[in-house]
Amino acid sequence: MKPDELEAMVAARGAVRRGHFALSSGLHSDVYVQKFRVLEQPQDARRLGAAVAALFDSGFDVVASPAVGALLLGFTTALAANVRFIFAERVDGVMSFRRGFRLEPHERVLVVEDVVTTGGSAAEVVALLRLAGARIEGVGALIDRSGGPRAELGLGAPFRALLRLQADAWPPEVCPLCASGEPLEDPGSSRPSGKSLD
Ligand code: ZN
């Protein structure tokens, strides 16, 4: 899938919103990507998963994603590569593998994330996998909205995304939108107070 094709899909679904948003990374931003709108058609989710798998030449044995946001894309990436899919989830704020998920030593793992802002959740999954003795082949994502050079994400593994999106993000204390009194929206959060999916 070409970037302009994905861009058109994102636009057609109204998946990119402008305003003042609290992101799950804790940063504030003027742009919010409602990625589930891009993935709500199963056929599209399948095509996007195939495109992510192709970014890494399907050179992996397992796909691992952080819950909840990346579950659909991680699953369809694994489907395209015909490998198994596991996910990590937060338990008392700490990313963990539960539900009996196991990794064999030296299994090659592709981490799949949905939208990367700081790379924080992906980095946590990478660290967790390394502890389990896995080999990280890379981190794949639907959208890279980090804005900076990819090396700065500190993932310690190749990072590739289907689409790069220009968006500003700030820690709340220096957010210019907070400073100008713009109402803050929390469109989808994994924080305990959040009610919607992220
Ligand atoms: Zn703000």
Side-chain angles (χ1 to χ4, degrees), residues 20-22 27-29 170-179 182-184:
H20 180 201
F21 304 101
L27 300 178
H28 287 189
S29 179
W170 316 270
E173 55 275 17
V174 296
C175 172
L177 299 171
C178 281
E182 290 280 330
L184 178 69

Side-chain angles (χ1 to χ4, degrees), residues 144-160:
D144 171 13
R145 53 161 296 168
S146 64
R150 287 157 197 223
E152 282 183 5
L153 291 174
L155 295 166
F159 172 50
R160 295 172 196 148

Side-chain angles (χ1 to χ4, degrees), residues 20-29 32 184-189 191:
H20 180 201
F21 304 101
L23 305 179
S24 59
S25 59
L27 300 178
H28 287 189
S29 179
Y32 183 75
L184 178 69
E185 201 180 324
D186 192 344
S189 173
R191 287 182 291 282

Side-chain angles (χ1 to χ4, degrees), residues 56-64 83-84 103-111 129 133-138:
F56 293 89
D57 292 327
S58 297
F60 46 89
D61 309 306
V62 181
V63 172
V83 299
R84 65 199 176 86
L103 280 164
E104 300 302 323
H106 309 302
E107 271 189 309
R108 299 170 306 158
V109 183
L110 177 66
V111 174
L129 288 163
R135 217 171 83 193
I136 313 298
E137 289 301 313

Side-chain angles (χ1 to χ4, degrees), residues 57-179:
D57 292 327
S58 297
F60 46 89
D61 309 306
V62 181
V63 172
S65 289
V68 172
L71 291 186
L72 296 178
L73 185 65
F75 180 84
T76 56
T77 302
L79 180 69
N82 194 26
V83 299
R84 65 199 176 86
F85 172 66
I86 64 176
F87 61 88
E89 55 200 305
R90 288 193 192 283
V91 181
D92 298 327
V94 180
M95 203 64 93
S96 324
F97 286 116
R98 303 180 66 204
R99 304 172 198 278
F101 289 139
R102 292 275 177 275
L103 280 164
E104 300 302 323
H106 309 302
E107 271 189 309
R108 299 170 306 158
V109 183
L110 177 66
V111 174
V112 172
E113 177 61 298
D114 48 12
V115 179
V116 168
T117 305
T118 62
S121 298
E124 283 180 71
V125 176
V126 166
L128 189 60
L129 288 163
R130 289 216 168 101
L131 268 179
R135 217 171 83 193
I136 313 298
E137 289 301 313
V139 177
L142 180 65
I143 294 172
D144 171 13
R145 53 161 296 168
S146 64
R150 287 157 197 223
E152 282 183 5
L153 291 174
L155 295 166
F159 172 50
R160 295 172 196 148
L162 294 177
L163 185 67
R164 294 196 86 189
L165 187 73
Q166 277 307 321
D168 283 319
W170 316 270
E173 55 275 17
V174 296
C175 172
L177 299 171
C178 281

